[in-house]
Amino acid sequence: HTAADAYLETVGRAHTRRLGASELAAVVGSEQIVAGFRVPERSVNTQWIADRLCQRLIDDPAIELRLGERVLSVAGDESRGRSRWQVRTTDAVDGPFTRVFNALWEGRLAVDQTVGLALPPRWSNRYRLALFLRTDRPVASPCAIVATGPFGDVKNYNDRDFYLSWYPAGLVQQNALIAPPFGAELCKPELAPVSEAVIASLGSLLPWVRDIRERCELMRLEGGWVYAEGEGSLADPSSTLHRRDSYGTRRHRDYLSIDTGKYSTAPWVAEQLIDSL
């Protein structure tokens, strides 16, 4: 790729390599893990990115922020020969607009239905929680993903800030509702039992996770909804949730519904959308 040297590091020669038996034994601590692969994936601190995205929105005079509202519906009118849209929220009815972009996450489909946009063939909403840890001194550990069976992952951002996830412990709710409950309406578990389950489960497979826990000085339990055009359990290798290539933009006249996919694909989707306009 022409931009292979402009990534987080040069990826022109990136490839996936299966670990040998001794390499695998140095990383895992359980016979349940039968194979390992070194992949060119890089982990970035999404909280760092989110803080700067929010600041960019605040600083841009061309963007009007309407916080603390919920979008309920969109109504169209073609009586003047072109689409004119009104957006109804919990606080007001705004418009008319020539274009509407629905880039909501959970609940996006409910608004799509109000303009007559067909639903995708399948989808799921998962409310999941994960641990964000900071250690009192650097801990050199790898990043790892347990990819089949109960899903879990460990991200080492800078040897002091870590992300730990274990799906059976952090999955609060999974459904195929068009409008899932808002976060404040969910009954979320306490930090202690979730953190104990996450660390114990990951530690039984990846022993070096315990080193992160021993040096932990700050721990937070955070998360939210994950929307995907797939269904089933991540523990099932045949689940369509493992196919994360079903995302993008669907259109009804000048109303666009945008599924940004994963965090890493959202900038590309935005760029493609702007270019198409």
Side-chain angles (χ1 to χ4, degrees):
H1 193 279
T2 55
D5 60 349
Y7 193 54
L8 303 179
E9 63 180 51
T10 299
V11 293
R13 297 181 179 179
H15 62 280
T16 299
R17 181 176 64 83
R18 181 165 181 165
L19 299 180
S22 59
E23 292 177 297
L24 183 64
V27 178
V28 306
S30 171
E31 294 182 353
Q32 288 181 275
I33 298 181
V34 297
F37 301 84
R38 188 175 300 281
V39 299
E41 179 182 87
R42 294 294 178 269
S43 298
V44 295
N45 190 332
T46 51
Q47 293 181 317
W48 184 95
I49 297 173
D51 288 344
R52 281 146 184 83
L53 172 61
C54 290
Q55 191 61 51
R56 183 70 180 88
L57 294 173
I58 293 170
D59 293 341
D60 194 326
I63 297 176
E64 176 189 353
L65 296 179
R66 296 275 294 275
L67 308 178
E69 296 182 49
R70 295 183 185 178
V71 178
L72 303 176
S73 64
V74 176
D77 177 14
E78 287 190 295
S79 60
R80 299 179 184 178
R82 61 182 301 183
S83 299
R84 310 288 286 181
W85 303 98
Q86 287 189 323
V87 179
R88 184 166 69 92
T89 73
T90 49
D91 291 2
V93 177
D94 293 283
F97 302 108
T98 56
R99 286 193 179 99
V100 172
F101 303 89
N102 179 2
L104 297 173
W105 196 229
E106 75 277 3
R108 179 172 51 88
L109 300 182
V111 180
D112 286 349
Q113 278 199 313
T114 66
V115 302
L117 190 63
L119 295 172
R122 58 177 181 262
W123 70 89
S124 67
N125 306 294
R126 288 164 287 145
Y127 197 97
R128 59 182 295 248
L129 299 170
L131 298 178
F132 293 83
L133 292 80
R134 183 169 178 81
T135 58
D136 58 3
R137 68 184 185 189
V139 177
S141 72
C143 297
I145 299 175
V146 180
T148 56
F151 182 87
D153 54 341
V154 182
K155 306 297 186 187
N156 178 356
Y157 295 132
N158 55 18
D159 286 352
R160 288 200 62 192
D161 294 298
F162 297 85
Y163 167 93
L164 276 67
S165 170
W166 185 252
Y167 243 83
L171 184 60
V172 176
Q173 188 177 132
Q174 181 168 353
N175 61 57
L177 298 175
I178 294 175
F182 284 86
E185 300 169 354
L186 290 171
C187 182
K188 301 173 190 174
E190 297 295 325
L191 169 62
V194 174
S195 64
E196 292 172 3
V198 169
I199 293 169
S201 299
L202 285 173
S204 67
L205 301 173
L206 310 169
W208 42 268
V209 168
R210 299 171 191 145
D211 298 334
I212 301 173
R213 178 65 183 93
E214 289 176 1
R215 305 308 313 183
C216 177
E217 66 175 7
L218 177 66
M219 181 187 301
R220 303 190 314 279
L221 181 64
E222 297 182 6
W225 285 107
V226 178
Y227 169 86
E229 290 193 12
E231 57 190 358
S233 168
L234 282 178
D236 179 5
S238 64
S239 167
T240 52
L241 283 179
H242 296 297
R243 292 292 304 271
R244 293 307 300 273
D245 57 342
S246 297
Y247 65 92
T249 301
R250 297 184 303 132
R251 186 168 191 161
H252 178 68
R253 302 201 305 269
D254 287 323
Y255 172 95
L256 286 80
S257 178
I258 306 157
D259 178 358
T260 55
K262 295 178 72 67
Y263 210 125
S264 55
T265 58
W268 179 82
V269 171
E271 185 177 49
Q272 295 294 309
L273 177 62
I274 295 302
D275 288 346
S276 70
L277 294 175

